[in-house]
Amino acid sequence: MASLIPVAEAADPRLDDFRDLTTADRRPDRPGGRGLVIAEGVVVVQRLVASPFPVRSLLGVARRFDELGPDLAGLDVPAYVTDAATMAEVVGFHLNRGVLAVADRAPRPDLDDLLRDARLLAVLEGVNDHENLGSLFRNAAALGVDGVLLGPRCADPLYRRSVRVSMGHVLRVPFAELPGAWPGSLDRLRAAGLRVAALTPAPDAVPLSRAGLAGERVALLLGAEGPGLSAEALAAADLRVRIPMASGVDSLNVATAAAVAFHSVGHP
Amino acid sequence: MASLIPVAEAADPRLDDFRDLTTADRRPDRPGGRGLVIAEGVVVVQRLVASPFPVRSLLGVARRFDELGPDLAGLDVPAYVTDAATMAEVVGFHLNRGVLAVADRAPRPDLDDLLRDARLLAVLEGVNDHENLGSLFRNAAALGVDGVLLGPRCADPLYRRSVRVSMGHVLRVPFAELPGAWPGSLDRLRAAGLRVAALTPAPDAVPLSRAGLAGERVALLLGAEGPGLSAEALAAADLRVRIPMASGVDSLNVATAAAVAFHSVGHP
């Protein structure tokens, strides 16, 4: 059981992992910072505790620790209890979710293991918006995607806002960087027996429902909202698929398009 | 062409339609307010101008009116030009999109017309979150939904935040309240030849891809994220369909689930 430790002073150095979360150059969850993973709110804290990420400590108001009770049973870390005002002073804003947990990063899953077993992977190029990335992980978790591979120019899925928007699913869905020169690195997916399908709004791409991906092992290539996939990435794919779209409408949000494609490929 | 009229004073009464947009009891776009429709930013203003909603006036900085130029050609209303600071003082917050348009509400489309011609409709129960509602309209527009019917306890699609999140598509996708006692009022859809399919996470519902909705005219019944559809609404549907979901994952966001279903029904 996590030890409940009352803390009265915002300046207490034991709370340093949670300090000034909004101050850009001090954010512990930013690349270049200490690389800590921060979970906000009861549901996300539950997912963090159940994940492979090693929890360092928790900070919250008494009521939230009551709610979390059973989830903290197997956890041998300090849980600092304070009031909402002190908590706000530490983190730098009022946190109406009332509880935070902080963890170190876990090692990434082994890429060969991930490729060998996966039936459906998402491969991202330039998905650099933290909220879109978080939503995409939430949708991947819901729709049975086996893992996410990060190509070039993607945001960090473990940044606080991504963790929150994903509802903690970035802590559950395995993900890893795809090493090697992009997009030649996609060859590694093909070598593992996956078909690489690029999602694009291009009118000459094949409609998803007629792409014949049923029963195939698929790596679905997704680009950022706006620019979409690069010409190089599109050229490196085995096929290009599209979601039939009404004319005159800007394309779907990338996480929404991903959800449509995950469902279509996984449940043809 | 809209007449460009320089305005120097935030207190100018000609700007009253745009005043204090964040002050809850004065918001012109709230039910109980003046019922005005407010569009923010170049793209949404373009959609408003192209919609059946009668534009009253515009307010913006010169650069945005330059961008809008051709879109305003057929419009005979005042376009008040000011600087960003004055604009912020009028609306009550800094508006980095730099242009607003305000319109009166247009009459709703005739329900019988909508029902007669529709191949795919969304019918909403209790979708009371403005952002979810806006996203849902954006997805409906992209995926070729012919109209949206509002059942009980839905938010106002023409509220400013819905308009913005929909990227203006609430101004393009026809919508109307479904009159009569809910959910008996769904009989009117059946009488018009539509099959009423309720989307639910219930494990005993039919997976979407096996529901046999291909080629049918479908009214897709959608409930709010969280509570979902009421028992009465579920019972009144012709069939219940589900998106196969990984275990242990909270359901998808309602607008995302709607997108998956729109695609699946429209493009089997």
Side-chain angles (χ1 to χ4, degrees), chain A residues 68-132:
Chain A
L68 280 165
D71 298 287
L72 306 182
L75 204 61
D76 187 22
V77 300
Y80 300 110
V81 189
T82 191
D83 56 80
T86 307
M87 201 167 161
E89 198 180 333
V90 174
V91 303
F93 57 96
H94 180 70
L95 199 100
N96 57 15
R97 291 161 199 263
V99 66
L100 292 165
V102 63
D104 288 308
R105 298 199 169 209
R108 298 278 200 255
D110 182 80
L111 189 57
D112 287 323
D113 289 347
L114 197 54
L115 294 182
R116 189 171 46 245
D117 299 333
R119 298 183 51 210
L120 177 55
L121 293 177
V123 186
L124 313 185
E125 183 194 47
V127 178
N128 55 12
D129 177 278
H130 287 110
E131 299 202 7
N132 284 345

Side-chain angles (χ1 to χ4, degrees), chain A residues 47 138-139 141-143 167 169 172 209 225 243-253 256 259-260 263-264 267-268, chain B residues 47 138-139 141-143 167 169 172 209 225 243-253 256 259-260 263-264 267-268:
Chain A
R47 296 218 164 102
R138 178 184 176 189
N139 297 345
L143 295 163
M167 302 182 77
H169 290 299
R172 288 168 46 123
S209 58
E225 208 170 332
I243 297 168
M245 210 79 77
S247 66
V249 181
D250 21 34
S251 63
L252 294 167
N253 168 286
T256 305
V260 168
H263 175 263
S264 181
H267 308 279
Chain B
R47 296 219 163 102
R138 178 184 175 189
N139 297 344
L143 295 163
M167 301 181 76
H169 290 300
R172 288 169 47 122
S209 58
E225 208 170 330
I243 297 168
M245 210 78 79
S247 65
V249 181
D250 20 36
S251 64
L252 295 167
N253 168 285
T256 306
V260 168
H263 174 263
S264 181
H267 307 279

Side-chain angles (χ1 to χ4, degrees), chain A residues 43-58:
Chain A
V43 169
V44 180
V45 168
Q46 286 170 329
R47 296 218 164 102
L48 179 65
V49 170
S51 80
F53 293 79
V55 177
R56 295 161 61 97
S57 63
L58 300 100

Side-chain angles (χ1 to χ4, degrees), chain A residues 3-19 34 36 56-59 78-82 90 102:
Chain A
S3 338
L4 293 177
I5 302 169
V7 173
E9 298 291 331
D12 193 311
R14 293 175 295 179
L15 308 187
D16 281 354
D17 280 355
F18 302 99
R19 202 169 301 285
R34 279 168 294 154
L36 300 178
R56 295 161 61 97
S57 63
L58 300 100
L59 171 65
Y80 300 110
V81 189
T82 191
V90 174
V102 63

Side-chain angles (χ1 to χ4, degrees), chain B residues 90-115:
Chain B
V90 174
V91 302
F93 57 94
H94 178 71
L95 198 99
N96 57 15
R97 291 161 199 265
V99 65
L100 293 164
V102 63
D104 288 308
R105 298 199 169 210
R108 297 279 199 255
D110 182 79
L111 190 56
D112 287 323
D113 288 347
L114 198 54
L115 294 182

